Amino acid sequence: MNADKKLWEFTDPGKAFRLINDNLPVGICAFKDDKIVYYNEPLLKLVGLSPEDLATQSLTYLFSKTPAGEAIAQKIYSKILRGDLPNYVWDNPLKRPDGSTIILRGIVTRILIGDEPALLVTLRDITQQRKAERLAEEQAALFRLIGENSSDFIYVHDQDSNVSYASPAVETITGYPASEWGSTTPPYLVRGEMTDFAMAATQKALQTGEKQPPYCIEIIRKDGSRRMLEVNETPYSQNGTIAGLVGVARDITDRLKAEEQLLEMNRELAKQNENLIRANKEMEAFIYTVSHDLKAPLVTLHGMTDRLQKKYEELLDERGQHYLSRIRANIERLEELVLDLLELSRIGRIEDAREEFDAVEILLESIEQAREIVTTKNLNIIYPEKLGKTSYSRKRLRQVFVNLVTNAAKYCDDNREPVLEVSSRVTGNYIEIALKDNGRGIDEKFHEKIFGAFQRPGSRKEDEGTGIGLTIVKRIVEYNGGKIWLESDTGKGSTFYITIPCAES
Ligand code: ADP
């Protein structure tokens, strides 16, 4: 051990006194007649002056910021020197020669040097402490601001439920002012299972220090109305122990009501949906039965009129023959209608087997099937080598193409060479096929309508058809998860778009 540091071995008490003072974390100095007569090493570091410069400083000059401050300080120091004031504490900023500024806390007391009164000053750098205090104040102000601006009710309480903070929203939510929110259980809680659960959750949070799941609680407002609150409580620690908790209570009455209404609406919708599906199924079954049952008498009628025409034609005069041919034409139309309706009722009712193929194969088969009208109308069909591989029922896709190709031929513009251009592109998991014709076009106001059954808004008297073709097309496309729509310019042509799923492989 270094013998120099053993105090009891010092023969010179003055030297020991110095050694202690120079190792203290505070600056110490003494002033007599406003002149410095003693200082320790830490003081030099604090004020940033050399011993020579320090010797020229007076107490008031050194630590008073302004001449006015200097005058007040002098008065106070005189009082201390006279023994009228035991001590004086000040916090002042000090600008050091290197340009930095620190905040010093000085404590000035009276001492005697010999028989003469003098001033002893101890100085501590409190810059960091001040910073920390300011930060804490700012954070507290921020916290209050959050509390004051929150529509949720925020509160802080300790282990014994003593409330140290309750935000103003408590009044909006409960009708009782924040000041009434004390250490006792609030008067507005509805007693019951919910409250017991809430109390248990709070106790658990305070015991374990772990945040508990939010709980709901019912309250009675000052005006007697009932509200539901959702409460989130988070425990907090101070000095290593669970000190209390921060709670946030939100009024969820309106949200719960809205959720309940939404649920009710959903239930209602689901019921309506079920009814619709049932009604739709019944309608399909009805259409199927009616069209199916109509088929047999129609076949008989067809056969009988055939025989009538063959065997008794010469017995009928011209008018009779005309009537007979009108009857035949109408029977044929009825047959067409019944067949189309039967077809429509089959889509979705009967599961069709899917296969994988390029859609162009089916387009070619469809053109072949619609050959008669395509040739009659001299429709020029342009199509690419491939349209894209799909997974579909061949029969259903053929129905789609036959109807669309037939329409392009049927509703062509007699003043120009009819052309149908088929193209495709892939969008996501679907192939979008466009069938663009240069026919007579469709007025925009009918773009939705033409997909409805028996709707033929743009057709002329001489156009044959039942108005079910596009209904069948739409039903098939949508049943297979696709969409159908059209763009058209009256007098210039129409483009029908359909989407069909891409093949999986
Ligand atoms: P139909 O051809 O038996 O009348 P659709 O359901 O196939 O029945 O068509 C409905 C109506 O839509 C047609 O009557 C016609 O007015 C119009 N239409 C369909 N396709 C075209 C087209 N490519 N160009 C112009 N009009 C069309």
Side-chain angles (χ1 to χ4, degrees):
M1 191 180 281
N2 188 342
D4 281 350
K5 296 212 169 148
K6 287 184 183 169
L7 278 179
W8 57 91
E9 285 180 12
F10 276 111
T11 47
D12 180 354
K15 208 173 167 191
F17 173 75
R18 251 186 191 287
L19 188 70
I20 295 167
N21 276 359
D22 288 347
N23 283 289
L24 286 175
V26 287
I28 301 174
C29 52
F31 284 84
K32 193 163 172 287
D33 301 329
D34 215 13
K35 291 221 165 49
I36 194 152
V37 293
Y38 170 76
Y39 61 85
N40 68 350
E41 282 294 321
L43 181 96
L44 282 178
K45 273 192 208 119
L46 270 183
V47 296
L49 290 170
S50 65
E52 295 75 35
D53 289 338
L54 189 63
T56 63
Q57 305 279 340
S58 72
L59 171 60
T60 43
Y61 180 76
L62 191 57
F63 301 121
S64 303
K65 265 168 40 185
T66 58
E70 217 175 314
I72 296 169
Q74 252 160 11
K75 267 190 200 165
I76 293 168
Y77 296 155
S78 308
K79 270 191 187 175
I80 295 175
L81 282 170
R82 281 201 307 273
D84 291 346
L85 194 70
N87 58 42
Y88 179 58
V89 183
W90 48 249
D91 290 347
N92 269 344
L94 174 84
K95 198 165 166 85
R96 298 195 283 197
D98 65 0
S100 62
T101 301
I102 55 167
I103 297 169
L104 286 179
R105 171 162 295 170
I107 304 173
V108 186
T109 46
R110 182 177 186 266
I111 52 163
L112 288 175
I113 298 179
D115 287 334
E116 302 279 322
L119 292 172
L120 178 75
V121 187
T122 57
L123 292 157
R124 216 151 43 85
D125 179 354
I126 58 160
T127 319
Q128 291 311 322
Q129 185 188 329
R130 266 295 173 85
K131 262 191 201 159
E133 280 167 5
R134 212 179 34 238
L135 199 72
E137 275 166 24
E138 281 168 5
Q139 275 176 346
L142 201 67
F143 175 73
R144 269 173 205 284
L145 203 67
I146 295 171
E148 270 149 37
N149 283 286
S150 166
S151 51
D152 294 342
F153 160 36
I154 302 172
Y155 56 88
V156 181
H157 72 61
D158 65 11
Q159 285 279 8
D160 301 322
S161 298
N162 293 313
V163 178
S164 57
Y165 178 75
S167 73
V170 67
E171 190 164 357
T172 335
I173 293 179
T174 66
Y176 293 93
S179 54
E180 283 183 30
W181 218 80
S183 56
T184 51
T185 311
Y188 47 79
L189 290 180
V190 177
R191 304 295 315 174
E193 246 176 64
M194 248 192 244
T195 316
D196 295 344
F197 181 80
M199 301 268 186
T202 304
Q203 277 315 312
K204 197 167 174 199
L206 286 170
Q207 274 159 17
T208 60
E210 279 163 22
K211 184 174 163 47
Q212 301 301 308
Y215 59 79
C216 285
I217 196 156
E218 194 177 20
I219 61 157
I220 302 178
R221 298 186 81 247
K222 208 170 185 176
D223 63 9
S225 58
R226 288 181 177 230
R227 308 292 288 178
M228 282 297 287
L229 303 189
E230 183 188 70
V231 184
N232 265 285
E233 288 183 329
T234 311
Y236 70 93
S237 296
Q238 271 173 356
N239 301 324
T241 52
I242 308 155
L245 52 82
V246 177
V248 178
R250 175 169 295 183
D251 186 340
I252 54 164
T253 320
D254 296 337
R255 195 185 83 195
L256 287 179
K257 249 187 225 156
E259 277 172 8
E260 186 45 44
Q261 273 169 358
L262 207 72
L263 273 176
E264 185 51 38
M265 266 161 69
N266 273 348
R267 277 194 288 267
E268 194 54 38
L269 265 174
K271 220 196 284 167
Q272 279 178 8
N273 209 18
E274 253 172 48
N275 288 345
L276 261 174
I277 291 172
R278 200 177 330 110
N280 222 6
K281 277 203 176 130
E282 278 168 13
M283 182 59 114
E284 271 164 15
F286 174 74
I287 294 174
Y288 177 76
T289 316
V290 170
S291 41
H292 187 263
D293 291 358
L294 276 176
K295 224 169 110 184
L298 271 176
V299 169
T300 316
L301 268 176
H302 200 136
M304 297 311 261
T305 43
D306 268 358
R307 274 195 230 165
L308 199 65
Q309 197 167 25
K310 270 187 204 143
K311 291 196 177 168
Y312 303 98
E313 201 173 11
E314 61 275 16
L315 295 179
L316 294 171
D317 61 7
E318 209 175 305
R319 188 182 278 189
Q321 281 182 17
H322 172 68
Y323 289 157
L324 191 60
S325 74
R326 289 286 307 277
I327 292 170
R328 278 201 58 152
N330 277 289
I331 289 171
E332 274 163 19
R333 189 166 154 65
L334 251 178
E335 273 178 335
E336 246 178 73
L337 259 172
V338 166
L339 284 177
D340 276 357
L341 274 177
L342 258 179
E343 214 41 62
L344 187 65
S345 72
R346 277 186 185 126
I347 302 159
R349 220 161 45 83
I350 299 158
E351 190 61 43
D352 306 299
R354 285 162 198 270
E355 287 172 55
E356 286 193 3
F357 48 79
D358 194 291
V360 84
E361 279 178 38
I362 307 299
L363 177 71
L364 292 174
E365 288 176 20
S366 310
I367 296 171
E368 194 46 47
Q369 202 169 316
R371 168 93 18 232
E372 199 183 322
I373 186 144
V374 169
T375 322
T376 318
K377 295 284 185 168
N378 210 9
L379 177 68
N380 179 14
I381 306 172
I382 303 164
Y383 50 86
E385 214 171 293
K386 299 236 177 276
L387 279 173
K389 211 167 168 206
T390 185
S391 167
Y392 227 85
S393 144
R394 280 179 176 270
K395 179 181 161 194
R396 295 293 173 215
L397 192 58
R398 204 180 303 120
Q399 272 179 307
V400 169
F401 281 140
V402 167
N403 277 318
L404 293 173
V405 169
T406 307
N407 281 354
K410 219 160 55 168
Y411 304 111
C412 66
D413 189 325
D414 297 331
N415 302 317
R416 51 181 175 253
E417 289 260 301
V419 180
L420 174 67
E421 200 180 333
V422 187
S423 59
S424 72
R425 66 182 186 119
V426 172
T427 60
N429 294 329
Y430 284 83
I431 306 166
E432 181 185 296
I433 301 175
L435 296 99
K436 183 175 193 284
D437 65 42
N438 61 348
R440 49 171 107 137
I442 303 162
D443 194 320
E444 205 181 334
K445 63 176 183 274
F446 302 137
H447 283 192
E448 284 288 323
K449 211 173 176 191
I450 51 167
F451 293 108
F454 312 119
Q455 298 296 331
R456 318 189 63 216
S459 60
R460 297 175 190 154
K461 226 176 152 201
E462 66 273 16
D463 297 332
E464 285 183 2
T466 57
I468 298 178
L470 286 179
T471 318
I472 290 179
V473 171
K474 187 173 157 81
R475 196 48 96 87
I476 295 174
V477 170
E478 288 179 353
Y479 178 72
N480 286 283
K483 286 186 193 145
I484 180 162
W485 69 100
L486 75 138
E487 285 167 5
S488 183
D489 253 345
T490 327
K492 288 190 181 159
S494 320
T495 309
F496 280 85
Y497 296 91
I498 57 164
T499 58
I500 58 173
C502 293
E504 268 156 32
S505 55

